[in-house]
């Protein structure tokens, strides 16, 4: 390649690159890279890479010390899958090499030329789950050459049809520390560069996002590739319920009265299910049109629109940009609580399936006569300690995330237990630790199980989630159930007694206070709930359990007073007058409820935590 009289590469000097079969696989050109020097830039459908050149178009050899070659600290490539945007920035300055010995060929001076920038990301060296923005700027004296390269990079990016083009965004301005709008402002340029259209709504009141999602026509919703929430887990729950309320028409789980109970004081008992004629079962008839409104806690009829959007749905994905107090769903699905990482996974079109629990309240109080009230949860449903904490913290929102620490301490000191009855579907193939079903008793028995169970953590391309998909049955209404989800004919077990807490974890629920989550080996899409029953025990032992939750590598489930059951469905009845549940950080008053999980019911803009 020859240079003109100014020392620059001749205009329009690009040439094709051929693969081993003799087919054109890309092209190469000489450019000046900002802060690097002259490079030979090459692109193919998988990668953009460059070689630093010396004067005379020779590849720059690595520096050496005492005859030992040292690797260059200059990046030399980026995968096309890691590029989220490319933009032409026209005439401007290209700076000389930052390398101590010059390196590239820039005549020792900064120069002006036409430029384009490739935007991508790299993994953080300290936290491999976190994405760090990177930008590489290349310059050339010829505008057409830059435009050709911008078009080529864009064409390779557009080959990935998973990337969204149009999304609906809801911002909760008061989430977490009240930084919802600031969080969006920090990531909005990523969507702009990636040419993703965004329709943004900053909510002004509680329930507004639910109202919009519940009332939007399916034909309009189909015009979007996804719905993104900027806020916490509770705000995502609001959007999730608005989406599924009138669109997910699955049979409801059995009410507690449908399960024939044995009389028992403590422990676990086998229950034979009542089998009813499904054609005459009123529960099946009310599952669609009698879904209750999430907004005010009162019954409301379906909007009556002709629902054409079914679930699971591969096209419409949900996304979360974290701005809440705990952000457990984001941590479990991306591995980090970082808005930049979440925004990048959205614009790059990442996708992971997420189990969703359908929770049905049958009675608000002991003597109330209520219509079935349906709610959906993506991370957790909790009673006792968890319900009391969320109820106590509702009036302390002005404290921000610290309200949970204050409320948790206050509830812990009260050390209240509640009498309740829980029934759950037995998973016959699941080999559970036999000590997990034992309860606290007196005598010389140890309070801690001797063996440490093996944990299989959910990661990117999780084998367990993938294998569970093979056993999934897709029903005619679009719902997905595991092989255990024929809950009306399954074998049920029962546990009755006094509980400090009852929890149903859909995912591991990792967060700042519980680095491994409530259940370290819970998976994103295996079709199971993790039912955790904490029997009444001395305060010191419960504190021991909580400290294990707060400890990395702890074993909070490895106690005799803790029951842990993997199940697709359960029912709950309080023996008191009323009770409060925590659903994804939102309060639900329920004396009697049922829950079942739907495997992979929604898709999320995420890829799962990296190893």
């Amino acid at each position: 390649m020859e240079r003109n009289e100014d020392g620059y590469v001749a205009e329009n000097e690009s040439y094709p690159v051929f693969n081993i079969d003799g087919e054109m696989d890309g092209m190469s050109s000489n450019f000046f890279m900002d802060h690097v020097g002259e490079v030979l830039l090459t692109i193919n459908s998988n990668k953009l890479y460059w070689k630093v050149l010396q004067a005379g178009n020779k590849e720059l050899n690595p520096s050496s010390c005492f005859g030992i070659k040292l690797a260059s600290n200059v990046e030399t490539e980026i995968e096309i899958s890691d590029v989220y945007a490319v933009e032409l920035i026209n005439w401007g300055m290209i700076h000389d090499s930052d390398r101590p010995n010059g390196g590239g060929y820039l005549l020792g001076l900064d120069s002006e030329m036409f430029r384009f920038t490739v935007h991508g990301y790299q993994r953080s060296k300290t936290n491999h789950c976190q994405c760090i923005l990177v930008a590489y700027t290349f310059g050339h004296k010829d505008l057409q050459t830059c435009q050709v390269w911008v078009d080529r990079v864009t064409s390779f990016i557009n080959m990935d049809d998973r990337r969204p083009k149009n999304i609906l965004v809801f911002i909760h301005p008061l989430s977490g520390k009240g930084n919802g709008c600031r969080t969006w402002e920090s990531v909005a340029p990523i969507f702009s560069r990636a040419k993703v259209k965004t329709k943004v709504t900053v909510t002004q009141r509680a329930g507004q996002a639910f109202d919009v999602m519940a009332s939007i026509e399916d034909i309009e919703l189909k015009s979007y590739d996804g719905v993104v929430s900027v806020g916490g887990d509770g705000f995502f729950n609001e959007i999730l319920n608005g989406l599924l309320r009138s669109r997910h028409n699955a049979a409801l789980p059995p009410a507690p009265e449908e399960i024939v109970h044995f009389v028992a004081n403590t422990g676990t008992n086998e229950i034979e299910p009542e089998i009813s004629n499904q054609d005459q079962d009123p529960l099946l008839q009310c599952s669609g049109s009698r879904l209750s409104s999430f907004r005010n806690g009162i019954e409301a009829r379906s909007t009556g629109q002709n629902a054409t959007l079914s679930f699971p749905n591969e096209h419409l994905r949900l996304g979360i940009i974290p701005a809440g107090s705990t952000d457990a769903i984001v941590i479990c699905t991306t591995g980090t609580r970082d808005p930049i990482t979440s925004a990048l996974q959205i614009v790059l079109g990442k996708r992971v399936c997420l189990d969703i629990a359908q929770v049905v309240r049958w009675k608000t109080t002991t003597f109330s006569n209520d219509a079935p009230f349906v709610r959906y949860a993506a991370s957790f449903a909790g009673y006792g300690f968890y319900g009391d904490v969320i109820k106590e913290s509702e009036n302390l929102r002005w404290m921000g995330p610290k309200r949970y620490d204050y409320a948790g301490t206050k509830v812990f000191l009260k050390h209240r237990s509640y009498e309740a009855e829980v029934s759950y579907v037995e998973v016959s193939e699941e080999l559970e630790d036999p000590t997990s079903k034992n309860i606290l008793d007196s005598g010389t028995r140890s309070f801690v199980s001797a063996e440490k169970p093996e944990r299989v953590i959910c990661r990117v391309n999780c084998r367990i989630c993938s294998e569970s998909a093979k056993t999934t049955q897709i029903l005619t209404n679009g719902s997905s159930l595991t092989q255990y989800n024929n809950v009306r004919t399954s074998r049920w077990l029962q546990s009755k007694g006094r509980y400090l807490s009852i929890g149903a974890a859909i995912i591991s629920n990792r967060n700042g206070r519980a680095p491994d989550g409530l259940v370290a080996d819970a998976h994103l899409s295996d079709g199971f709930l993790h039912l955790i029953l904490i029997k009444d025990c001395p305060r010191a032992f419960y504190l021991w359990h909580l400290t294990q939750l707060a400890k990395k590598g702890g074993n909070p489930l490895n106690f005799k007073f803790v029951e842990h059951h993997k199940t697709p469905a359960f029912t709950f009845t309080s023996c008191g007058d009323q009770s409060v549940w925590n659903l994804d950080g939102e309060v639900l008053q329920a004396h009697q409820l049922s829950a079942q999980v739907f495997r992979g019911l929604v898709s999320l803009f995420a890829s799962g935590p990296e190893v």
Side-chain angles (χ1 to χ4, degrees):
M1 290 174 284
E2 298 180 355
R3 299 179 180 275
N4 59 26
E5 59 184 6
D6 295 323
Y8 292 106
V9 179
E11 295 181 357
N12 298 318
E13 192 168 277
S14 298
Y15 51 91
V17 175
F18 299 92
N19 61 25
I20 57 176
D21 296 323
E23 299 175 351
M24 195 176 89
D25 191 40
M27 67 179 185
S28 292
S29 295
N30 281 46
F31 282 92
F32 289 102
M33 187 174 180
D34 198 28
H35 295 292
V36 174
E38 187 180 13
V39 299
L40 175 63
L41 185 64
T42 304
I43 188 173
N44 58 39
S45 59
N46 298 318
K47 189 180 297 184
L48 180 72
Y49 54 97
W50 51 92
K51 296 178 180 179
V52 181
L53 303 175
Q54 290 178 317
N57 291 306
K58 294 182 179 179
E59 183 179 347
L60 182 66
N61 292 322
S63 58
S64 61
C65 179
F66 299 107
I68 301 175
K69 290 186 177 181
L70 302 178
S72 170
N73 59 0
V74 178
E75 297 296 333
T76 59
E77 65 181 32
I78 184 171
E79 300 286 338
I80 296 297
S81 59
D82 294 341
V83 175
Y84 71 89
V86 58
E87 57 182 345
L88 186 68
I89 51 179
N90 282 322
W91 190 265
M93 188 69 68
I94 288 289
H95 301 89
D96 201 353
S97 172
D98 290 335
R99 297 172 62 85
N101 298 324
Y105 183 84
L106 276 178
L107 304 178
L109 298 172
D110 294 344
S111 304
E112 288 190 338
M113 56 187 69
F114 295 103
R115 302 162 300 162
F116 70 92
T117 298
V118 176
H119 296 277
Y121 77 92
Q122 295 175 344
R123 293 289 178 180
S124 169
K125 294 180 180 179
T126 56
N127 179 4
H128 196 61
C129 292
Q130 185 173 347
C131 298
I132 307 297
L133 294 177
V134 294
Y136 305 106
T137 298
F138 302 90
H140 200 284
K141 282 293 185 178
D142 180 57
L143 175 61
Q144 184 179 350
T145 299
C146 290
Q147 185 64 61
V148 167
W149 275 80
V150 169
D151 293 342
R152 179 57 61 93
V153 176
T154 301
S155 67
F156 285 137
I157 291 176
N158 291 339
M159 289 173 63
D160 188 353
D161 58 5
R162 300 172 303 171
R163 303 193 183 199
K165 301 295 188 296
N166 192 16
I167 61 172
L168 190 60
V169 179
F170 292 95
I171 302 174
H172 193 318
L174 302 179
S175 285
K177 297 180 180 180
N179 60 356
C181 292
R182 290 194 299 273
T183 299
W184 172 249
E185 290 169 0
S186 69
V187 299
I190 295 175
F191 292 86
S192 178
R193 293 191 198 106
K195 294 181 173 55
V196 177
K197 295 180 181 179
T198 57
K199 182 179 179 181
V200 180
T201 300
V202 180
T203 58
Q204 304 298 319
R205 58 176 174 81
Q208 181 180 346
F210 170 86
D211 289 341
V212 174
M213 290 302 300
S215 60
I216 189 172
E217 295 289 340
D218 282 2
I219 190 170
E220 180 182 352
L221 196 55
K222 281 186 171 182
S223 68
Y224 297 102
D225 299 303
V227 182
V228 173
S229 69
V230 184
D233 294 335
F235 190 52
F236 176 76
N237 179 274
E238 181 180 330
I239 293 172
L240 177 72
N241 277 272
L243 176 67
L244 297 178
R245 170 184 174 267
S246 58
R247 298 178 177 91
H248 183 230
N249 297 313
L252 301 185
E257 288 89 350
E258 291 188 277
I259 308 300
V260 178
H261 298 295
F262 286 137
V263 178
N265 294 321
T266 58
T268 302
N269 301 277
E270 181 180 344
I271 304 169
E272 293 297 331
E274 276 189 357
I275 309 300
S276 59
N277 188 329
Q278 291 192 359
D279 294 334
Q280 300 176 354
D281 193 338
L283 292 177
L284 300 181
Q285 298 170 12
C286 73
S287 63
S289 61
R290 296 188 62 193
L291 296 183
S292 299
S293 171
F294 165 81
R295 181 172 64 257
N296 295 317
I298 59 176
E299 183 181 11
R301 297 287 179 177
S302 173
T303 58
Q305 65 175 344
N306 294 322
T308 59
L309 198 66
S310 61
F311 294 90
N313 191 295
E314 292 187 3
H315 172 72
L316 186 69
R317 284 160 287 180
L318 301 180
I320 310 175
I321 296 176
S325 299
T326 55
D327 299 312
I329 300 175
V330 166
I331 295 174
C332 291
T333 54
T334 69
T336 183
R337 190 180 179 184
D338 175 51
I340 297 294
T341 300
S342 294
L344 284 169
Q345 296 208 2
I346 292 170
V347 299
L348 291 173
K350 303 296 184 180
R351 179 178 178 267
V352 68
C353 293
L354 192 65
D355 289 346
I356 299 296
Q358 181 192 64
V359 180
V360 182
R361 182 183 66 193
W362 303 100
K363 285 187 176 183
T364 304
T365 63
T366 306
F367 302 105
S368 62
N369 184 17
D370 305 304
F373 180 97
V374 177
R375 288 277 298 274
Y376 293 91
S379 61
F380 177 73
Y383 165 75
F385 177 82
Y386 301 108
D388 291 346
V389 169
I390 199 66
K391 181 181 179 181
E392 189 75 33
S393 66
E394 277 298 291
N395 296 325
L396 303 172
R397 288 187 174 271
W398 56 271
M399 295 178 64
K402 291 183 179 179
R403 70 184 185 273
Y404 294 115
D405 295 327
Y406 176 82
T409 302
K410 187 175 180 180
V411 171
F412 170 77
L413 292 176
K414 289 181 180 179
H415 198 63
R416 294 184 61 183
S417 62
Y418 301 87
E419 189 170 356
E421 188 175 285
V422 179
S423 302
Y424 57 94
V425 172
E426 182 189 36
V427 179
S428 58
E429 283 84 3
E430 182 69 12
L431 299 176
E432 296 180 284
D433 180 359
T435 62
S436 67
K437 296 182 180 179
N438 292 332
I439 62 169
L440 176 66
D441 58 20
S442 59
T444 59
R445 298 178 68 184
S446 170
F447 282 92
V448 183
S449 177
E451 294 187 4
K452 201 173 183 180
E454 182 181 356
R455 295 175 176 176
V456 179
I457 307 300
C458 193
R459 298 294 189 190
V460 174
N461 302 320
C462 175
R463 176 181 55 83
I464 290 179
C465 292
S466 299
E467 288 181 355
S468 68
K470 299 176 183 178
T471 63
T472 299
Q473 303 172 12
I474 305 299
L475 305 185
T476 56
N477 59 14
S479 302
S480 62
L481 298 172
T482 68
Q483 60 180 322
Y484 305 111
N485 273 89
N486 189 9
V487 296
R488 293 178 177 276
T489 58
S490 298
R491 182 169 177 253
W492 287 75
L493 301 178
Q494 181 196 85
S495 184
K496 182 178 181 180
R498 295 196 67 85
Y499 302 96
L500 289 169
S501 68
I502 295 173
I506 307 162
I507 57 179
S508 63
N509 288 279
R510 294 182 181 87
N511 59 78
R513 296 173 181 83
D516 289 337
L518 299 176
V519 184
D521 54 352
H523 288 262
L524 298 178
S525 182
D526 63 353
F528 292 106
L529 298 166
H530 288 262
L531 187 62
I532 307 167
L533 311 178
I534 311 295
K535 292 281 189 175
D536 194 8
C537 66
R539 184 185 283 111
F541 288 116
Y542 190 49
L543 177 62
W544 193 359
H545 163 75
L546 293 177
T547 56
Q548 288 295 306
L549 275 175
K551 176 183 176 183
K552 182 71 174 176
N555 287 281
L557 306 180
N558 211 26
F559 292 90
K560 299 296 183 181
F561 54 88
V562 176
E563 292 186 30
H564 173 213
H565 308 290
K566 199 171 179 180
T567 182
F570 74 93
T571 68
F572 163 88
T573 302
S574 171
C575 295
D577 181 47
Q578 60 183 13
S579 59
V580 175
W581 279 75
N582 174 348
L583 260 63
D584 287 354
E586 299 296 319
V587 175
L588 175 68
Q589 185 174 324
H591 168 76
Q592 190 181 75
L593 61 76
S594 302
Q596 65 180 340
V597 67
F598 290 89
R599 196 202 72 84
L601 186 62
V602 300
S603 297
L604 214 63
F605 283 114
S607 58
E610 294 284 341
V611 177

